[in-house]
Amino acid sequence: MKLPAVEAYLFEIGEALQFDRQYARDVCDEVADHLYESVDEQARAQRASPSRAGRTQGELRALFERFGQPRVLAAQFASTYVFRKLLALLAWVFALGAASYMLGLVVGPLSWAGFGLAGGCALAVLPAVLRVRREVYPRAQSWPKLCMPMLASTSAVLLLGAALVASAVWKVEHCQSSICIALDLAIALALLLRWALHRKQTARMCALWRSVS
């Protein structure tokens, strides 16, 4: 049976993790399993000992205190999500960038320069993430530091998208086939859309970390 107090606690966690709805659902499911398992243990103990009757609300409050405030718990889950998020983003960006050059009939020097700059910016993100990743659960004091690699990766995506637009403009004068121009523009559009989503997620995650640090 679902308890209103537990569902309200889970709802607050889910709201704080709305930067990724699937991740929010996964976290809420995991926390719900632990919470209801503890509630069931309390109920069994209550049936076994009549003297414990009527202590449910106090035990629920103690349970929530043991788990922590919902937004703090959500911030902790967000901090462990960053490493996976950034690796997936960088892999996606480089795969898409590589595909644009492999499929393009002509590659302009502007696009190669932009790709190099974006690659350097993206790789510069990794040391900061790996430094924080040494802790399985980063301390609350470290959470705001995660904003830097998130913002740097956002810049890398934007830079690569802008480089592909510059490449398409260059190819208007130097490329005889329109296919290579269309490829650059299509992939640049995909990157810029991904940048907009990542920027929105970054803003929400940083706001969460700062609010509880």
Side-chain angles (χ1 to χ4, degrees), residues 150-151 154 194-204:
M150 292 292 289
L151 292 170
T154 302
R194 189 67 184 83
W195 166 79
L197 175 61
H198 186 59
R199 182 174 177 272
K200 185 177 180 181
Q201 291 176 329
T202 297
R204 289 184 174 182

Side-chain angles (χ1 to χ4, degrees), residues 5-126:
V6 173
E7 293 304 309
Y9 185 90
L10 295 172
F11 177 80
E12 193 168 346
I13 294 175
E15 281 293 297
L17 296 175
Q18 280 303 298
F19 54 82
D20 187 324
R21 294 182 180 179
Q22 182 57 54
Y23 185 65
R25 285 192 291 269
D26 292 342
V27 167
C28 287
D29 288 344
E30 180 181 346
V31 175
D33 288 343
H34 290 298
L35 280 173
Y36 280 112
E37 182 179 351
S38 298
V39 169
D40 289 342
E41 289 177 359
Q42 290 176 356
R44 287 194 294 269
Q46 201 171 66
R47 287 193 295 269
S49 176
S51 63
R52 293 172 57 91
R55 296 168 57 185
T56 304
Q57 292 301 320
E59 289 176 342
L60 267 181
R61 284 194 295 271
L63 179 61
F64 293 149
E65 288 175 2
R66 189 165 76 246
F67 272 73
Q69 296 179 2
R71 288 184 63 82
V72 174
L73 188 58
Q76 185 173 346
F77 274 106
S79 71
T80 61
Y81 167 83
V82 170
F83 186 74
R84 183 181 70 183
K85 171 72 175 175
L86 287 180
L87 285 185
L89 175 69
L90 296 180
W92 187 86
V93 166
F94 282 118
L96 201 57
S100 70
Y101 296 116
M102 291 175 64
L103 296 175
L105 301 178
V106 176
V107 178
L110 287 177
S111 57
W112 277 115
F115 186 72
L117 287 171
C121 183
L123 291 175
V125 169
L126 292 180

